[in-house]
Amino acid sequence: MTETKLSNGALHEQADNSIDCANDHDPLSLSIRSNYSFSKPESLAQLRPERGSGVLPIITKAENRQLEKTMAELTINKLKFNSMGLIGREQEIATLKSCYRSLETQTSGESPPESKVDKDLVFLHGFSGVGKSKLAETVEKEVEASKNAMFVEGKYDFMTMDEPFSGIVEAYGSLCYQIIDSEPDIREAVKRSILENMEQEAEMLTDLIPELGALLKNIGIDSMSISTSGTLGSSNENRQEHWRHAFRVFTRILGSFFHPIVIVLDDLQWADAASLDVLECLISDVQNPHPLMIIGCYRSNEVNENSILYNRMQDLREKTERFAFRITEIEVKSFDVDAVNKMIMSMMSIDDEEKTRKLAEACYKRTLGNPFFLIEFMKMLQSEKLLEFHLGLMKWVFDVSKIEDATMSTANVVDLLQTRMRKLSNDMQILLQYAACLGSSFSPSTLQFVWKENRSIVLT
């Protein structure tokens, strides 16, 4: 059995490590082949959605990518979603790499002083599902090849729009964790620099960023002398400026050890005003001599002239020359039929484009070239046995006319997904609604806790 889950904005196929429903009446009565078991949270603190970059990982991203690729290569009768990479994004990837490498030359001193621009703000925009997050992550490979660079990610969520700094806190939490995991001499040097240069700001940020507290524990900050509960929700300009100053100083310190620093902020259309204030003060900080790259991903169809992000972007465009930073805007579009065909060929490990051309045209009609929808559509075709791997013939078999007939009643893949969800048991549909309310990231124990609490309310 194969399970598909959403992790950091990307779909992953997991074979032979899936979740099977053991009881149709209780969707949380699950058996998991990986021997993972649900447990009730010991405290309400565990109900906070887990941050993918802030939680101590078992394996690194690079190791996980290699593991996924290896597992995909071991199977011949499954569509290979993990090993196909980014197809049809060569120009966008080249632009991102060019931005990063221009900052690298600033670090190495190869660029002449008069051409120095050491801050780059990149906006990736397009519809949901076109692969903005995956595209941003391609810069991580460039960072991994650099000696002192750092790559971190933070994600905003519709459910936490009222929580100030949520995406930035996630990104800086990941930075702190990477420092904790670095060489002891580097870690101790960063600690000393923070304590010597930040004073009260370190206490403020420690309350906001738990990972910073873990980094600084036992060396001077044992308790908080400043309460930030009122500061976070306050509109007082002096308090907001205090926060902006704290992030500026913290970034300067980190930049003296790690450069360039690349910060990816995903789903920026849901960012709060305080976060955008911090973003602006970081990218326009002329007192920070260290290279910084901020990549903001947002859904273009959810940003208009009345939105906070739109107006902030307009302001930033007018400040590039004055504050010596660069803005790069990349539109991430849906695929044409040729790119859809290349994706399908990669999924099916087929080299002859003519063999999949008609299938690609049928898929394009239903997905309009959206990569996320295309992946879901292909999974649906396989689950409905409209696309199968014939072990006797050792090849994929399908009938395009049957596919078109079977999906004719639905206008697009969204309708198909809704139809599939309606076939689930009533309990499972309710469970999905609870999961949607928890946001894009949460622990299994959190979902189990919410499920049991709400069921007890209904039963009583």
Side-chain angles (χ1 to χ4, degrees), residues 22-285:
N23 186 339
D24 288 339
H25 300 291
D26 186 357
L28 280 173
S29 176
L30 304 172
S31 62
I32 304 179
R33 299 191 186 114
S34 60
N35 295 323
Y36 185 93
S37 61
F38 289 110
S39 60
K40 185 174 181 178
E42 297 177 357
S43 66
L44 290 177
Q46 292 185 14
L47 291 180
R48 183 179 181 180
E50 291 182 351
R51 295 186 235 149
S53 56
V55 177
L56 303 184
I58 298 175
I59 59 175
T60 65
K61 279 189 176 182
E63 291 170 333
N64 188 56
R65 282 198 298 265
Q66 184 58 44
L67 177 62
E68 289 177 343
K69 184 177 181 181
T70 301
M71 292 299 296
E73 290 172 349
L74 292 175
T75 59
I76 61 173
N77 64 335
K78 297 183 183 300
L79 295 171
K80 295 175 174 58
F81 301 109
N82 295 316
S83 60
M84 65 181 177
L86 280 175
I87 296 172
R89 300 297 188 205
E90 293 78 12
Q91 183 175 347
E92 293 88 345
I93 292 173
T95 302
L96 275 174
K97 287 183 176 180
S98 176
C99 292
Y100 176 78
R101 289 170 183 171
S102 68
L103 295 181
E104 264 196 319
T105 59
Q106 303 294 343
T107 302
S108 62
E110 297 176 10
S111 296
E114 61 273 11
S115 65
K116 185 175 182 180
V117 176
D118 52 18
K119 307 288 186 300
D120 207 330
L121 177 57
V122 180
F123 287 117
L124 300 179
H125 59 96
F127 289 98
S128 175
V130 295
K132 301 181 294 296
S133 304
K134 276 295 183 184
L135 183 60
E137 290 175 0
T138 60
V139 181
E140 185 175 11
K141 294 181 180 179
E142 297 289 309
V143 171
E144 289 172 353
S146 301
K147 185 178 181 181
N148 297 315
M150 193 80 83
F151 178 94
V152 293
E153 300 172 86
K155 184 178 179 64
Y156 288 92
D157 194 294
F158 178 78
M159 301 303 297
T160 57
M161 288 178 65
D162 295 331
E163 181 183 335
F165 311 122
S166 60
I168 288 178
V169 164
E170 181 176 347
Y172 276 80
S174 179
L175 267 171
C176 292
Y177 170 72
Q178 292 186 47
I179 296 170
I180 293 172
D181 199 42
S182 64
E183 296 295 328
D185 56 337
I186 296 176
R187 182 172 63 246
E188 294 305 314
V190 174
K191 288 181 182 180
R192 287 194 301 270
S193 184
I194 291 173
L195 291 176
E196 290 171 2
N197 295 283
M198 292 191 68
E199 299 179 355
Q200 288 187 337
E201 289 85 355
E203 297 186 43
M204 287 180 59
L205 290 178
T206 299
D207 198 35
L208 186 63
I209 306 171
E211 294 85 351
L212 179 58
L215 173 63
L216 299 178
K217 66 179 180 180
N218 300 326
I219 60 168
I221 295 182
D222 296 318
S223 62
M224 296 297 102
S225 60
I226 295 178
S227 174
T228 61
S229 58
T231 306
L232 285 178
S234 173
S235 61
N236 184 280
E237 180 58 30
N238 290 333
R239 292 181 176 178
Q240 293 300 322
E241 177 55 33
H242 203 177
W243 281 112
R244 292 193 290 269
H245 176 72
F247 276 107
R248 271 196 299 263
V249 176
F250 190 33
T251 304
R252 292 171 194 167
I253 292 172
L254 295 179
S256 65
F257 293 93
F258 311 102
H259 36 264
I261 291 177
V262 180
I263 301 174
V264 176
L265 298 175
D266 201 5
D267 281 329
L268 208 56
Q269 75 276 357
W270 291 324
D272 57 288
S275 289
L276 297 180
D277 287 342
V278 171
L279 185 155
E280 180 176 343
C281 80
L282 294 179
I283 206 69
S284 62
D285 185 7

Side-chain angles (χ1 to χ4, degrees), residues 299-314:
R299 300 179 183 180
S300 52
N301 57 309
E302 296 188 29
V303 175
N304 55 47
E305 59 186 15
N306 297 317
S307 63
I308 299 175
L309 178 60
Y310 177 90
N311 289 284
R312 186 57 58 92
M313 289 170 60
Q314 291 290 91

